[in-house]
Amino acid sequence: MKQKIILETKNVSKVYDSNGLVVKAVDEVNLRVKAGEFVGLVGPSGSGKTTMLAMLATLLRETGGSLLIDKQDLGSMSDAQRTKFRREKIGFTFQSNNLVPYLTALENVELMLRLNKTNGRKSRERAIDLLTRLGLEDRLHSLPSQLSGGQQQRVAIARSLIHDPSVVLADEPTASLDTERANQVVQIFADLIHEGQRAGIMVTHDLRMCKYADKIVQMVDGKISRVITERSEIDLLAGTSKFDQLPNNENVEERRWLKKRALISQNLEHLPAGV
Amino acid sequence: MSIYLSLKEVWRNKGRFFLFSMVIALIAVLVLFTAGLGEGLASANKEYLEKLDATLLVFQEGTGYSTIESRLDYQKVKRVQRVEGVSNAGPIGFSNVEIVLDGGLDPIDVSFIGTETGKPGLPAPIIGETIRSKQSKVVMIDERIAESANISVGDYITIKSTQGTEDKFYDLRVTGITDGQQYFFQPSIFVSLAIWDKYRPKADASVSSSRPITNIIAVQLQNPENMASMAALIESAIKDVEISDIKTAYESAPGYSAQQNTLNTMKGFTFLIGVLVIGGFFQIQTLQKVPQIGMLKAIGTPNPVVAVASILQIIFVTVFGVALGGLAVLGLALGMPPSVPILFTGTSVLIAVASLLLIGPLGGLVSIRVALKVEPLTALGM
Ligand SMILES: Nc1ncnc2c1ncn2[C@@H]1O[C@H](COP(=O)(O)OP(=O)(O)OP(=O)(O)O)[C@@H](O)[C@H]1O
Ligand SMILES: [Mg+2]
């Protein structure tokens, strides 16, 4: 069965020019994500992953090329249209500060519905169902300060899905979680993307999280350097992280760096060019 | 949406916002008391003149509209009365006496005011009857005196008046009670001008009252709109007089303007402190919320919603604080003895309340600016 393409970028570029310092953060990237497809976006620090997500989330305007979501050209929209588009069509999980501190878990999820004026008794039930699926049925009325990091991220994931968005984006959602929690969160995230036939992109530095993705896109210096679609290769990538064996108190930065190096140096050839 | 967000935020941070409302409440108490004091002092100073049923007042020339310095020949009353356009004119004499009370009670200092029946200057009684005859030894008293000394219509009061070096005592029957009629910080009692001239304190007891005098003349006009031209007409028709309207007269009373200006400056500064305190507090609070505001915008909250939410909570807190302060002032005012010159009925108190309610939005302008300028990209740490 051929899935329809929900998200597409055509030679999209982003050049930052701050006081004469020109940085080409994203360089003519072509990317397609189909309905029900979950993409893992990896790459070294500064390779343009967050910039890419920001453009897809209509938070940042491209400086070249174009981005299409549900066949709508993001670049042609006014700021107000983009704000509206963002709250209707896009779900976002950030690395931190996802939740409104004075709203309960349930209220935070419902916030997305309120913004879209689709809140009500029926949608409240959906929000409760979703939070229950994420294992939070006992914490519906807890404030974010009363939740653990993992619980907070699960609330954020529920918030990013409740309004039935076409595209779900997440920037290192598991950065603050331990391995077990991270696995749980990403697995449910992947399931919900598959079930809802949404286009999902998750930026991660943790290669083990790639095993839940259907496609891995690696960026280096603003360009897509590698795309992995074969299941066996994805599993290999996700499983070859020998650094898992390092003791827990090992320097986190170093682990990240080692993992990145492992990815970059991985000898995976015969990949199709482009996407 | 803005209302929802700001109400939730205030509700879930009740303690902090309540504490802040208390600060506003205290500022409100300060401003309201200053305003009440201004109103009360002003009223104690001018109440009689302000309620006077006349448009113009005639003074002796060169006295700077001072009711005590001015001395007018009684003949001038008749001459003023005859000026074309004047509908009624009455003499008013001011001095001070003491009401002596039995049973070891302290005497009451009062303004002793002489007027004529049927002329402007004599207020209507709220209980009892007005003064009907020129020579009868009757008096109308301010309700404050009636209340504090427990005097009713039909009772006799004794006034003490110093004539030369001798204290004289005169008995007067109370025929009526008037509403509040303070003048120069004292409640007033009213007698006919003839009685007034006889009983008023004099430097020399032998001064004869064959040629009665008055301090000022109150003038009613056929057409009060012609105030200015009538003042000029009377001034040119009668020698040695100066004319003012009522407002100019009480504003010229010694110390009146200085006192009101001082109180207004105090009010102004308290108000300014309020704006700065609120502005500072909410600006810090908004700065702390920058990541959260960025996140809200990043998930598609329109800019106006965020801005309105940030001002709304300031308004809630201000309204609550001012209401709290207002209630506290009300409670305090009810428990205050009537001698304290504080009055919460005048326009200046209403203006104070209105301006207090402005403290919040004014102080919040900075916060709105901060909130509006937050970039949604901050949610991504960019
Ligand atoms: N606002 C900005 N102004 C100027 N340059 C920027 C800005 N944001 C990002 N950059 C630059 O653009 C490049 C890509 O940054 P980006 O944040 O997209 O990388 P990333 O892949 O998300 O990195 P990380 O893995 O560290 O999060 C970097 O060189 C960065 O320094
Ligand atoms: Mg990033």
Short mmCIF file of all heavy atoms in Angstrom, two decimals, chain A residues 188-210:
data_model
loop_
_atom_site.label_atom_id
_atom_site.label_comp_id
_atom_site.label_asym_id
_atom_site.label_seq_id
_atom_site.Cartn_x
_atom_site.Cartn_y
_atom_site.Cartn_z
N ILE A 188 5.83 4.33 22.97
CA ILE A 188 4.44 4.78 22.90
C ILE A 188 4.29 5.87 21.84
O ILE A 188 3.32 5.87 21.07
CB ILE A 188 3.96 5.32 24.26
CG1 ILE A 188 4.09 4.24 25.32
CG2 ILE A 188 2.52 5.78 24.17
CD1 ILE A 188 3.81 4.74 26.73
N PHE A 189 5.27 6.74 21.79
CA PHE A 189 5.28 7.82 20.80
C PHE A 189 5.18 7.22 19.40
O PHE A 189 4.32 7.63 18.59
CB PHE A 189 6.58 8.62 20.98
CG PHE A 189 6.62 9.91 20.21
CD1 PHE A 189 5.54 10.77 20.21
CD2 PHE A 189 7.76 10.28 19.50
CE1 PHE A 189 5.59 11.98 19.52
CE2 PHE A 189 7.81 11.47 18.80
CZ PHE A 189 6.73 12.32 18.81
N ALA A 190 6.03 6.23 19.12
CA ALA A 190 6.03 5.57 17.80
C ALA A 190 4.68 4.92 17.52
O ALA A 190 4.11 5.08 16.44
CB ALA A 190 7.15 4.54 17.73
N ASP A 191 4.16 4.22 18.52
CA ASP A 191 2.86 3.55 18.34
C ASP A 191 1.77 4.56 17.97
O ASP A 191 0.96 4.33 17.07
CB ASP A 191 2.45 2.84 19.64
CG ASP A 191 3.29 1.60 19.89
OD1 ASP A 191 4.02 1.20 18.95
OD2 ASP A 191 3.23 1.06 21.01
N LEU A 192 1.75 5.67 18.70
CA LEU A 192 0.69 6.66 18.47
C LEU A 192 0.82 7.29 17.08
O LEU A 192 -0.17 7.63 16.44
CB LEU A 192 0.73 7.73 19.56
CG LEU A 192 0.29 7.22 20.94
CD1 LEU A 192 0.63 8.22 22.03
CD2 LEU A 192 -1.21 6.93 20.95
N ILE A 193 2.07 7.46 16.62
CA ILE A 193 2.28 8.01 15.28
C ILE A 193 1.79 7.02 14.22
O ILE A 193 1.08 7.39 13.27
CB ILE A 193 3.76 8.36 15.07
CG1 ILE A 193 4.09 9.64 15.85
CG2 ILE A 193 4.10 8.54 13.59
CD1 ILE A 193 5.56 9.90 16.02
N HIS A 194 2.12 5.76 14.45
CA HIS A 194 1.67 4.73 13.50
C HIS A 194 0.15 4.63 13.47
O HIS A 194 -0.46 4.67 12.41
CB HIS A 194 2.28 3.38 13.88
CG HIS A 194 3.76 3.34 13.69
ND1 HIS A 194 4.60 2.67 14.54
CD2 HIS A 194 4.55 3.90 12.75
CE1 HIS A 194 5.86 2.82 14.13
NE2 HIS A 194 5.85 3.57 13.02
N GLU A 195 -0.45 4.57 14.63
CA GLU A 195 -1.92 4.42 14.71
C GLU A 195 -2.63 5.59 14.08
O GLU A 195 -3.63 5.43 13.39
CB GLU A 195 -2.36 4.32 16.17
CG GLU A 195 -2.10 2.98 16.79
CD GLU A 195 -2.33 3.05 18.30
OE1 GLU A 195 -3.13 3.90 18.74
OE2 GLU A 195 -1.66 2.27 19.02
N GLY A 196 -2.14 6.79 14.37
CA GLY A 196 -2.83 7.99 13.91
C GLY A 196 -2.48 8.36 12.48
O GLY A 196 -2.98 9.35 11.97
N GLN A 197 -1.63 7.56 11.84
CA GLN A 197 -1.22 7.85 10.46
C GLN A 197 -0.68 9.27 10.35
O GLN A 197 -1.03 10.02 9.43
CB GLN A 197 -2.39 7.64 9.49
CG GLN A 197 -2.72 6.17 9.29
CD GLN A 197 -1.58 5.42 8.59
OE1 GLN A 197 -1.28 5.65 7.43
NE2 GLN A 197 -0.92 4.52 9.32
N ARG A 198 0.15 9.66 11.32
CA ARG A 198 0.75 10.98 11.29
C ARG A 198 2.18 10.88 10.75
O ARG A 198 2.75 9.79 10.69
CB ARG A 198 0.79 11.57 12.69
CG ARG A 198 -0.55 11.53 13.37
CD ARG A 198 -0.49 12.07 14.78
NE ARG A 198 -1.52 11.46 15.61
CZ ARG A 198 -2.81 11.76 15.53
NH1 ARG A 198 -3.23 12.68 14.69
NH2 ARG A 198 -3.69 11.15 16.28
N ALA A 199 2.73 12.01 10.38
CA ALA A 199 4.13 12.05 10.01
C ALA A 199 4.91 12.47 11.25
O ALA A 199 4.63 13.51 11.83
CB ALA A 199 4.36 13.05 8.89
N GLY A 200 5.84 11.62 11.71
CA GLY A 200 6.55 11.93 12.95
C GLY A 200 8.04 12.09 12.73
O GLY A 200 8.65 11.34 11.97
N ILE A 201 8.63 13.10 13.35
CA ILE A 201 10.08 13.27 13.30
C ILE A 201 10.58 13.49 14.72
O ILE A 201 10.05 14.34 15.45
CB ILE A 201 10.50 14.48 12.44
CG1 ILE A 201 9.94 14.34 11.02
CG2 ILE A 201 12.02 14.60 12.40
CD1 ILE A 201 10.36 15.47 10.10
N MET A 202 11.58 12.69 15.11
CA MET A 202 12.16 12.86 16.43
C MET A 202 13.67 13.06 16.28
O MET A 202 14.35 12.25 15.68
CB MET A 202 11.88 11.64 17.30
CG MET A 202 12.57 11.71 18.66
SD MET A 202 12.27 10.26 19.67
CE MET A 202 13.25 9.05 18.80
N VAL A 203 14.15 14.17 16.84
CA VAL A 203 15.59 14.38 16.89
C VAL A 203 16.11 13.66 18.13
O VAL A 203 15.51 13.78 19.21
CB VAL A 203 15.92 15.88 16.99
CG1 VAL A 203 17.40 16.07 17.29
CG2 VAL A 203 15.54 16.59 15.69
N THR A 204 17.16 12.87 17.99
CA THR A 204 17.71 12.23 19.19
C THR A 204 19.22 12.06 19.07
O THR A 204 19.77 11.97 17.97
CB THR A 204 17.04 10.86 19.44
OG1 THR A 204 17.57 10.32 20.65
CG2 THR A 204 17.30 9.89 18.30
N HIS A 205 19.85 12.07 20.20
CA HIS A 205 21.27 11.77 20.25
C HIS A 205 21.51 10.34 20.71
O HIS A 205 22.63 9.87 20.73
CB HIS A 205 21.99 12.74 21.21
CG HIS A 205 22.31 14.05 20.59
ND1 HIS A 205 21.96 15.23 21.15
CD2 HIS A 205 22.95 14.34 19.43
CE1 HIS A 205 22.35 16.22 20.37
NE2 HIS A 205 22.96 15.70 19.32
N ASP A 206 20.42 9.69 21.13
CA ASP A 206 20.53 8.35 21.68
C ASP A 206 20.18 7.34 20.59
O ASP A 206 19.01 7.14 20.26
CB ASP A 206 19.56 8.23 22.87
CG ASP A 206 19.77 6.91 23.60
OD1 ASP A 206 20.44 6.01 23.05
OD2 ASP A 206 19.24 6.80 24.73
N LEU A 207 21.21 6.74 20.01
CA LEU A 207 20.98 5.87 18.86
C LEU A 207 20.07 4.69 19.18
O LEU A 207 19.39 4.17 18.31
CB LEU A 207 22.32 5.34 18.33
CG LEU A 207 23.17 6.39 17.63
CD1 LEU A 207 24.40 5.75 17.02
CD2 LEU A 207 22.36 7.11 16.56
N ARG A 208 20.05 4.28 20.46
CA ARG A 208 19.19 3.14 20.80
C ARG A 208 17.73 3.45 20.56
O ARG A 208 16.92 2.58 20.34
CB ARG A 208 19.40 2.76 22.27
CG ARG A 208 20.74 2.10 22.50
CD ARG A 208 21.07 2.09 23.96
NE ARG A 208 21.05 3.45 24.49
CZ ARG A 208 21.17 3.74 25.77
NH1 ARG A 208 21.30 2.78 26.67
NH2 ARG A 208 21.17 4.98 26.17
N MET A 209 17.38 4.74 20.62
CA MET A 209 16.00 5.13 20.38
C MET A 209 15.60 4.95 18.92
O MET A 209 14.44 4.97 18.57
CB MET A 209 15.79 6.60 20.79
CG MET A 209 15.96 6.84 22.26
SD MET A 209 14.92 5.73 23.22
CE MET A 209 16.11 5.12 24.41
N CYS A 210 16.62 4.77 18.06
CA CYS A 210 16.33 4.63 16.63
C CYS A 210 15.60 3.34 16.31
O CYS A 210 15.00 3.22 15.24
CB CYS A 210 17.63 4.68 15.82
SG CYS A 210 18.37 6.32 15.84
#
